[in-house]
Amino acid sequence: MLLRDITGLVDGKLENSDPDVNITGVNTLKEARPDQASFLANMRYKIQAETSHAGILFLDDKVFPGVSRPIIRVVDPYLAFALLQRHFHPERQADGLRHESAVIDVTASLAEDVDVGPLVMIGKRVRIGSGSRIGAGCVVEDGASMGQSCTLHPRAVVSASCELGNNVILQSGAVVGSDGFGYAWTGREHLKIPQVGRVLLEDDVEVGANTCIDRGAIGDTVIGRGVKLDNLIQVGHNVRIGAYSVIAGQAGFSGSVVVGRGCQFGGQAAVAGHLHIGDGCKIAGKSGVTGNLEAGGTYAGFPAVPHRLWLRVSAIMLRLPEMWEKIGRHIS
Amino acid sequence: MLLRDITGLVDGKLENSDPDVNITGVNTLKEARPDQASFLANMRYKIQAETSHAGILFLDDKVFPGVSRPIIRVVDPYLAFALLQRHFHPERQADGLRHESAVIDVTASLAEDVDVGPLVMIGKRVRIGSGSRIGAGCVVEDGASMGQSCTLHPRAVVSASCELGNNVILQSGAVVGSDGFGYAWTGREHLKIPQVGRVLLEDDVEVGANTCIDRGAIGDTVIGRGVKLDNLIQVGHNVRIGAYSVIAGQAGFSGSVVVGRGCQFGGQAAVAGHLHIGDGCKIAGKSGVTGNLEAGGTYAGFPAVPHRLWLRVSAIMLRLPEMWEKIGRHIS
Amino acid sequence: MLLRDITGLVDGKLENSDPDVNITGVNTLKEARPDQASFLANMRYKIQAETSHAGILFLDDKVFPGVSRPIIRVVDPYLAFALLQRHFHPERQADGLRHESAVIDVTASLAEDVDVGPLVMIGKRVRIGSGSRIGAGCVVEDGASMGQSCTLHPRAVVSASCELGNNVILQSGAVVGSDGFGYAWTGREHLKIPQVGRVLLEDDVEVGANTCIDRGAIGDTVIGRGVKLDNLIQVGHNVRIGAYSVIAGQAGFSGSVVVGRGCQFGGQAAVAGHLHIGDGCKIAGKSGVTGNLEAGGTYAGFPAVPHRLWLRVSAIMLRLPEMWEKIGRHIS
């Protein structure tokens, strides 16, 4: 791909290079060869950028002013990298292959071009939209449905009656629609409560490997448009996660939690049952949320408090031995 | 179902309604229609109860005294809901269907009415009791056994020689009997120790989606009668969990931990190796247990301490900046 | 096996017994019968050792000096136990059986003696070395490869192009090569960045049940020789874990973390993105690492600090109510 075309694709400004130079791929700053592009998005890697052999670098306006090597100035180097990488690695298209070992119920309705891999099970009345690809060993239970251009990686499970929108991706081992954790104590035993709700994944949702999303107890568990869930996340029954929220690995949401739009959760963060997290909240990794959180805030710690407070508290906490000693000396 | 019959089923007292009114299902306070029942078990939702269109509400004696709408007074509204929901959604019965794609070893012994879904693997000498249902893609390895009326959701694994009692439920992706994490350091490498114990799940155990229970190193890992494990829980080798304990998602138990009867663990709680947790303990979410715990206590924090102490400590912790400043001003 | 031969196997010194006594197996201190061996490696179980009926005990020089029962003195009783247990339970050998239900692409290249279980999927151009065993329901995607004597337990996934060395073990449900969690925000949505790197597992790596290892975004995710990963661990894209490190269950590594050789991580520990952990570090369970860590240290807490500091801080933390009161009385 010519630098001229790359510059157009990423909406940037080419400097110090002939626009007809050819670039064949993308690589890290360290590994990139002269025919490859690279990018500097994290200032941790600034020194690597200086010594990189990449043929072209995506940089924002702030770094290396007046540099003489070939660069493309962009607003967001990471986005430029993403766009170019997507150009070189387009998504695989469905071609309508159905492996003979797949078990597809006669009442299932699949678009012509849907791929079905080996050893897949597709149940009764399942509907699958055009361009979707079902990887080896997946199970799509009775009455489940998905829209167009979904990708199920090997061994994902979509349980009975759950619904996926368009462009949904399930990584390997993801479970959509396991029973929620609901029991009533009879005085002698825990009585299982039938979990009769569904899971709804709206368009453009991605679910990480071995992540589990429980079906609703009565109503549905709903993951909003464009939400990205990393690996090994637990989403309890009747949770609702607002559009475009991003959740890192091993986070956990207890039953009936409501998360607003555009929130971010760090890894291993958790939210106790029935709480509301306002739109646009950022929750640091390992936080434990024990109360409702107002929109737009940044929170950390356990119990989760505003991030600035937690930073101060955790810094002072490390000086507790010193405090303890001072107090012991002066206060009897 | 007539209110008359519902009242009997839940052992309640009908008020303000004709007992011959018909109810067709259960729903949330917010969504319930006039032909549906609902319930108020969590006072968070009291306002929703006041405005609910449900045809009948399960309430305990304490809320809404003298209310004029149709209600059924019960001791435990949540239990009443559970009983009614189970009436409307009885468990699916096994019908003895064996999918032709299932691989069942000739030496396996399955009761007549056992269901075996598509693409299931059942190994040598496996025994499966009457009424059990094995979902698509499950693997039951050589020598494993299960009692009556077990339900294995898709892609559950029961490893070699593990034993499940009656009415055991495995959610999708659950792994029963993976190798425990045991190595001996030779000075040059970690030597794997063969994990030759089994996992025993007693009657009425439920195991959540993608939860892992390691087989014992020598003796067995034992999950007691009626224990409920949520999703993504780690149970190390030779752990013993006492009857009727309830463990929330992403909790973790290191090797050889012994948990008493009737304990409760919140999400992401963890217990270090070889510890004993007494009967009836309640451990808050995210706790990290680093010592033995006496029976009947409620614990929280990391390291886990009595819950009341932790509440005070964590409240004061947030005032550390204030304390720090005071001390700085007065003590030099 | 004669005590004479056991003594040789574990490089020990037999005391108080005829070397021609026969031992038939290994058991716990509590359960061992007179024809079985046992060992004392954890002083927690010293009393059980005194009353054990084991025919022979592995002990180090420090415990029970002058005891009159049959013992074998060894440097490391746990290692002696491991060696003997491995003798009695040798690894199962591959015998070249290919189950007829397995789907093996014609372009795949498998050594003669490779076992392939039922309902396995092996993709295009996959290479599998001699002595490897592929359990029921596993998926090995196009272009993946593994060396000699690997063991894949049921339903493990090796994604496209990932490479496993020799003697690699994947427990059930492990996912090697899921997509990393990489998106660029366009201002309107999260744009998925193609994850085109691989996962490389070097020789003697073991991966626990339902553990997930993401493929690199560009370069590879690399797990070094002899690394042992427990269950339900999250390894983000482009992480590198140094040889012989041992990671306990539910730990998490964000993207691009670099872990040195011979490190140890406790359960539920986590490391934030792009950090470096020096060789030989020990990180306590539930720690949250938020900065680079120097080699050879022992760390704990969140944020993770030197273990001794954390022990003092967490002890004093529990006396915060007392401190608070003292300060309140003396400082106004």
Side-chain angles (χ1 to χ4, degrees), chain A residues 119 141 155 157 173 179 181 183 190 192 210 214 218 232 234 250-251 268 274 287 312 316 319 330, chain B residues 27 45 78 86 99 119 154-155 171 206 210 230-232 244 246-247 250 268 286 321 324 331:
Chain A
L119 305 163
E141 289 194 305
R155 297 206 297 88
V157 172
D179 279 352
F181 199 60
Y183 307 91
H190 301 288
K192 182 175 174 73
N210 284 340
D214 284 343
I218 304 185
L232 293 166
Q234 155 67 356
Q250 297 178 319
Q268 297 189 348
H274 298 270
S287 301
R312 288 187 63 206
I316 296 173
R319 303 182 72 168
H330 291 81
Chain B
N27 212 333
Y45 299 113
Y78 194 62
R86 287 170 65 95
H99 196 277
L119 305 163
R155 296 206 299 89
Q171 295 291 329
E206 180 158 357
N210 284 340
D230 199 354
N231 300 342
L232 293 165
Y244 304 111
V246 174
I247 320 288
Q250 298 176 319
Q268 297 187 349
K286 275 198 178 281
W324 181 253
I331 304 178

Side-chain angles (χ1 to χ4, degrees), chain B residues 119 141 155 157 173 179 181 183 190 192 210 214 218 232 234 250-251 268 274 287 312 316 319 330, chain C residues 27 45 78 86 99 119 154-155 171 206 210 230-232 244 246-247 250 268 286 321 324 327 331:
Chain B
L119 305 163
E141 289 194 304
R155 296 206 299 89
V157 172
D179 278 352
F181 199 60
Y183 307 90
H190 301 287
K192 182 175 174 71
N210 284 340
D214 283 344
I218 305 185
L232 293 165
Q234 155 67 356
Q250 298 176 319
Q268 297 187 349
H274 297 272
S287 301
R312 288 186 63 206
I316 296 173
R319 302 182 73 168
H330 291 81
Chain C
N27 212 334
Y45 300 112
Y78 194 61
R86 288 170 64 95
H99 197 276
L119 305 163
R155 297 206 299 88
Q171 295 291 330
E206 180 159 358
N210 284 340
D230 199 354
N231 301 342
L232 293 165
Y244 304 110
V246 175
I247 321 286
Q250 298 177 318
Q268 298 188 348
K286 274 198 178 281
W324 181 253
I327 292 171
I331 304 176

Side-chain angles (χ1 to χ4, degrees), chain A residues 314-324 326, chain B residues 324, chain C residues 309 313:
Chain A
S314 59
I316 296 173
M317 207 166 62
L318 298 181
R319 303 182 72 168
L320 273 175
E322 189 183 330
M323 266 171 95
W324 181 253
K326 266 190 188 176
Chain B
W324 181 253
Chain C
L309 173 56
V313 166

Side-chain angles (χ1 to χ4, degrees), chain C residues 152-173:
Chain C
L152 272 58
H153 286 271
R155 297 206 299 88
V157 171
V158 181
S159 300
S161 305
C162 293
E163 296 192 4
L164 282 57
N166 300 314
N167 306 310
V168 169
I169 299 173
L170 305 185
Q171 295 291 330
S172 291

Side-chain angles (χ1 to χ4, degrees), chain C residues 275-289:
Chain C
L275 298 178
H276 286 236
I277 311 291
D279 291 348
C281 283
K282 294 181 183 173
I283 318 288
K286 274 198 178 281
S287 302
V289 180

Side-chain angles (χ1 to χ4, degrees), chain B residues 54-78:
Chain B
I56 190 75
L57 279 185
F58 298 126
L59 299 176
D60 67 26
D61 284 346
K62 281 164 255 148
V63 289
F64 306 144
V67 71
S68 61
R69 59 172 300 161
I71 61 168
I72 297 178
R73 292 281 180 196
V74 289
V75 174
D76 181 348
Y78 194 62

